[in-house]
Amino acid sequence: MRHRVAGNRMNMPEPRRRSARRNLMAGLIRYDRIQTTEARARAIRAEVEKLIDKAVKARAAARKHLASVVSDEEKANQILEFARRGRFSLHKTVGTNEERLNQQKAPLTDKGRKFLEDKLKARREELLRIISNEDEAEEALQAAYQAMVIELHARRQILSALPDELVVKKMFEELAPRYVGRPGGYTRIIKIGRRKGDAAEIAQISLV
């Protein structure tokens, strides 16, 4: 019986096979193409496409959520870049030293308080330059934070399968925008010939 042995086992022990698959997938995403045996190329193809598809769908869902609040694409991109620089709210103020003490934070000197107040003022002005209405700006900013949460959830799922932060970053920043609207089929396998020595079929697997 073949219970729980679905998929290509790559003819090696499980820990080594898992490491080999991750290295092959990371190499493919990092360099857009790699050469390996045809069997290994076919073994990683489905999983690579599944991970890319997850990134594409997460990015699309995040953008759709933000677009439901900010219809202007340019403003939506500006709000998202603003949100990525840290949490902020137009209602945020610098608390008194008594309030900070209750929050278990260190008290502020006059110079430190002025620095924080100037920083909040600068961010407030920057946000209102993008969207002048305060209520609309606050709503748009919260939508941008929620869009980031949607992407972050997908990033964590992909990282659990492929623990390489630079590779996952490329998937969201380069591959997801490239494949928006494409219903799968992100890779291509081309046979190259046979390897000298053991005559194994060699193929190139690449991102289309």
Side-chain angles (χ1 to χ4, degrees):
M1 291 185 293
R2 290 177 50 79
H3 295 294
R4 302 180 68 183
V5 292
N8 191 312
R9 296 179 66 83
M10 294 172 61
N11 195 29
M12 60 181 69
E14 195 277 334
R16 185 181 165 199
R17 180 173 66 251
R18 183 171 62 248
S19 177
R21 289 171 68 94
R22 285 177 173 175
N23 289 337
L24 288 168
M25 290 191 296
L28 172 58
I29 295 169
R30 184 179 289 115
Y31 303 114
D32 279 12
R33 63 179 57 83
I34 57 171
Q35 289 185 13
T36 182
T37 62
E38 184 182 356
R40 292 189 179 191
R42 294 190 183 283
I44 67 169
R45 184 179 195 175
E47 192 166 355
V48 167
E49 296 215 0
K50 180 180 177 182
L51 295 179
I52 294 175
D53 193 57
K54 188 181 291 290
V56 171
K57 288 180 178 178
R59 188 178 191 276
R63 292 304 173 119
K64 182 179 180 180
H65 178 79
L66 183 55
S68 67
V69 178
V70 187
S71 57
D72 187 303
E73 185 176 354
E74 183 179 354
K75 287 186 177 181
N77 289 332
Q78 290 176 342
I79 286 288
L80 196 56
E81 288 302 315
F82 180 91
R84 283 176 175 153
R85 295 192 347 241
R87 297 293 300 186
F88 178 73
S89 170
L90 290 173
H91 308 304
K92 187 174 182 179
T93 58
V94 180
T96 64
N97 282 341
E98 289 77 10
E99 291 172 339
R100 293 177 63 86
L101 182 62
N102 292 334
Q103 298 170 359
Q104 297 184 340
K105 294 181 179 179
L108 291 172
T109 62
D110 291 341
K111 184 176 180 180
R113 181 174 299 281
K114 186 176 186 307
F115 172 80
L116 290 180
E117 288 174 346
D118 290 345
K119 185 177 179 180
L120 286 178
K121 181 181 178 182
R123 293 210 73 189
R124 177 187 176 87
E125 291 174 351
E126 182 183 355
L127 177 59
L128 293 178
R129 279 197 297 270
I130 302 172
I131 299 178
S132 57
N133 183 282
E134 290 193 7
D135 292 337
E136 292 178 2
E138 183 69 24
E139 184 182 8
L141 185 58
Q142 298 309 314
Y145 286 132
Q146 184 58 38
M148 291 170 59
V149 169
I150 294 171
E151 279 199 13
L152 180 61
H153 178 65
R155 281 176 184 259
R156 287 174 173 169
Q157 288 182 320
I158 295 172
L159 274 169
S160 67
L162 187 59
D164 189 320
E165 292 187 5
L166 292 178
V167 168
V168 175
K169 182 179 180 181
K170 180 180 178 180
M171 290 175 69
F172 279 88
E173 295 184 0
E174 295 183 32
L175 301 188
R178 182 196 304 179
Y179 295 132
V180 168
R182 186 183 181 95
Y186 310 116
T187 60
R188 178 190 297 117
I189 294 177
I190 301 173
K191 294 182 180 180
I192 296 176
R194 292 189 175 274
R195 184 167 60 192
K196 292 182 179 179
D198 61 358
E201 285 280 2
I202 299 299
Q204 175 180 277
I205 179 171
S206 58
L207 300 177
V208 298

